[in-house]
Amino acid sequence: MKSIYFDNAATTPVRKEVFTAMKPYFSTYFGNPSSLHAKGLEARDAVEEARKLIAEILNCATDELIFTSGGTESVNLAIKGIAFARKKGHIITQKTEHDAVLETCKWLEKQGFELTYLNVDEFGLVKPEQVEKHIRKDTILVSIMYANNEIGTIQPIKEIAEVCRKHEVLFHTDACQAAGYLDMDVKNLGIDLMTINGSKIYGPKGVGLLFIKKGIEIEPLLHGGGQEYGLRSGTENVPAIVGFAKALELAQKEKVTEVQRLTALQDRLVSGLQRIADSKLNGHPQKRLPNNVNVSIYGVEGEAVLLMLNEKGICASTGSACSTKSLEASHVLLAMGMSHEMAHGSLRFSLGKHTKEKDISRLMKVLPGIVKKLRDMSPIKAEVRNG
Ligand SMILES: *Cc1c(COP(=O)(O)O)cnc(C)c1O
């Protein structure tokens, strides 16, 4: 039995074209981009070609792009880098951010920075007016994600960026989940800093970038050889950077058709799930990523469903990769006002490039039976039955 992978929001397989592009940079072109000989220049050229390619896609200059080891590092560089450059001040973020943002902000709070964590509505949305209301004289940065990794909700980042610009506050967006599906033009979006990574767009893991608009003062987190315009020391991960650029190029090229294809599959899955009684689609009905379906099923534990799906060869998730390690309810769903019970019964199916209609059909063939079995065993359900 072939397994079905519904966890593309956690990570995606490296696509063939990407792997092919990367391979020579492990062996033939193994040089250190900082070396002045031919081997070094080959590697340097590859990194700079990758940077140029990405700069065209994001509509920015090459020296506005810093390669990092992934989404987490880029977020840390953005938020701590700005905080350290300003030395003190107030930062605004919101409650459904990825832990990379939330934990960085919590740590900065301990260092003396002041933080505001904005509430979200029942769909997981932040309103630009909310951001504006909380901007103070000493606000140095606003960090609001482009699209949520658990529920797929797309934030109005263009409008939020406009508010920030009006008040001369820097705006960072964590766009790791958005890169394959949404507009990535930083000029059109009007943003100052943006994080993307390779592992969510069929590129390699352990590589990402931070876009930093020219003229913004930022402190590096890593000190050393001065690579990446002095903002990220350390020998560049050349194969990963080459693969990341290739992945982004392909994602950009295929965006329109892939969004259309996935939206149709998403609709199919959502209507299939509606046949399960006492279940609810989480996130925004329209403002959501085309590959995300997050559902709460009352009276079952998400983890129990996952294990039973896994036995049937179906890989899904309860939400973020981090929240599966602890059995705490998702901070995202709780922030949306969901009860602990409903949050514990949540499942995330994240579709991808390899998802076919027949995969959705197979899921819908087994899921109702699993839910019924678990509900029959569940004390909560018995309580509901008994009033
Ligand atoms: C995956 C992800 C990250 C972390 O990226 P890594 O490359 O794993 O460090 C940060 N933010 C969001 C929204 C993500 O989906």
Side-chain angles (χ1 to χ4, degrees):
M1 182 174 57
K2 245 185 92 185
S3 73
I4 302 178
Y5 186 74
F6 283 123
D7 205 10
N8 290 280
T11 193
T12 50
V14 171
R15 51 193 293 179
K16 218 174 12 201
E17 306 93 312
V18 169
F19 189 43
T20 305
M22 289 171 73
K23 265 193 277 192
Y25 294 95
F26 288 103
S27 48
T28 316
Y29 310 119
F30 65 88
N32 183 329
S34 297
S35 298
L36 293 179
H37 47 66
K39 279 284 155 222
L41 292 180
E42 285 166 2
R44 164 65 42 207
D45 282 350
V47 170
E48 292 321 313
E49 273 307 308
R51 201 189 309 274
K52 220 163 80 187
L53 192 60
I54 296 177
E56 270 166 36
I57 294 167
L58 305 187
N59 191 19
C60 65
T62 50
D63 59 0
E64 293 176 316
L65 295 176
I66 307 300
F67 288 118
T68 69
S69 70
T72 304
E73 188 190 330
S74 293
V75 162
N76 272 266
L77 176 57
I79 302 177
K80 289 180 190 162
I82 296 297
F84 295 164
R86 302 292 181 93
K87 298 199 171 60
K88 57 183 199 308
H90 170 240
I91 298 169
I92 299 174
T93 184
Q94 59 90 23
K95 289 182 178 169
T96 72
E97 292 289 316
H98 189 277
D99 278 335
V101 171
L102 290 177
E103 292 299 318
T104 300
C105 288
K106 277 190 219 159
W107 184 80
L108 282 173
E109 243 178 323
K110 283 194 267 174
Q111 310 306 309
F113 290 88
E114 286 188 60
L115 263 294
T116 297
Y117 302 89
L118 298 175
N119 289 320
V120 295
D121 68 11
E122 59 181 311
F123 305 114
L125 275 177
V126 172
K127 287 175 195 64
E129 307 88 80
Q130 247 178 305
V131 176
E132 181 154 38
K133 213 178 88 193
H134 285 88
I135 289 178
R136 319 191 310 210
K137 277 214 159 54
D138 63 342
T139 304
I140 55 175
L141 179 70
V142 172
S143 186
I144 307 282
M145 71 201 317
Y146 200 161
N148 187 274
N149 45 299
E150 291 190 35
I151 52 167
T153 296
I154 301 167
Q155 301 291 0
I157 60 157
K158 194 170 170 173
E159 291 74 16
I160 294 172
E162 205 176 306
V163 166
C164 292
R165 206 160 47 248
K166 186 171 129 195
H167 294 274
E168 293 178 14
V169 174
L170 295 175
F171 177 56
H172 166 251
T173 191
D174 173 357
C176 288
Q177 292 289 336
Y181 308 115
L182 307 178
D183 178 21
M184 283 289 125
D185 182 327
V186 294
K187 287 211 179 74
N188 179 44
L189 295 170
I191 54 198
D192 301 305
L193 302 107
M194 180 166 78
T195 288
I196 317 179
N197 66 358
S199 70
K200 311 283 168 67
I201 56 167
Y202 307 91
K205 296 168 183 58
V207 66
L209 66 78
L210 181 64
F211 158 75
I212 311 170
K213 200 162 91 185
K214 216 168 285 180
I216 293 175
E217 209 191 320
I218 186 162
E219 279 292 323
L221 304 184
L222 298 185
H223 301 89
Q227 289 89 342
E228 298 296 301
Y229 309 101
L231 286 176
R232 206 281 181 179
S233 286
T235 303
E236 298 86 341
N237 187 346
V238 181
I241 290 169
V242 168
F244 180 29
K246 187 73 188 172
L248 193 62
E249 182 192 22
L250 293 169
Q252 183 72 11
K253 227 176 249 168
E254 297 166 3
K255 197 173 278 180
V256 176
T257 48
E258 188 58 1
V259 165
Q260 240 171 28
R261 193 186 72 86
L262 284 174
T263 304
L265 290 176
Q266 181 184 46
D267 288 347
R268 202 179 171 85
L269 178 52
V270 168
S271 52
L273 289 168
Q274 276 164 355
R275 292 201 303 270
I276 296 177
D278 294 322
S279 68
K280 175 185 172 292
L281 179 72
N282 297 320
H284 198 282
Q286 287 91 37
K287 293 172 188 162
R288 69 185 302 132
L289 291 174
N291 72 328
N292 175 290
V293 176
N294 187 311
V295 66
S296 283
I297 303 176
Y298 190 69
V300 300
E301 289 283 336
E303 284 80 10
V305 180
L306 280 195
L307 294 178
M308 291 174 83
L309 282 174
N310 187 47
E311 279 172 25
K312 306 269 183 200
I314 297 174
C315 308
S317 165
T318 53
S320 76
C322 321
S323 70
T324 54
K325 268 179 274 164
S326 58
L327 285 182
E328 279 167 38
S330 149
H331 72 278
V332 174
L333 297 177
L334 294 180
M336 290 155 65
M338 189 173 286
S339 70
H340 277 264
E341 278 110 313
M342 275 306 257
H344 273 297
S346 75
L347 292 166
R348 179 187 70 187
F349 301 100
S350 43
L351 320 183
K353 210 173 116 49
H354 301 287
T355 309
K356 303 273 184 314
E357 213 173 281
K358 66 175 190 331
D359 301 332
I360 309 277
S361 304
R362 200 168 116 204
L363 171 63
M364 287 319 301
K365 222 178 203 161
V366 299
L367 187 60
I370 291 175
V371 170
K372 181 172 184 318
K373 196 164 160 186
L374 289 169
R375 276 180 171 168
D376 285 346
M377 303 186 320
S378 158
I380 302 173
K381 188 64 188 179
E383 246 170 63
V384 173
R385 269 200 307 269
N386 300 334

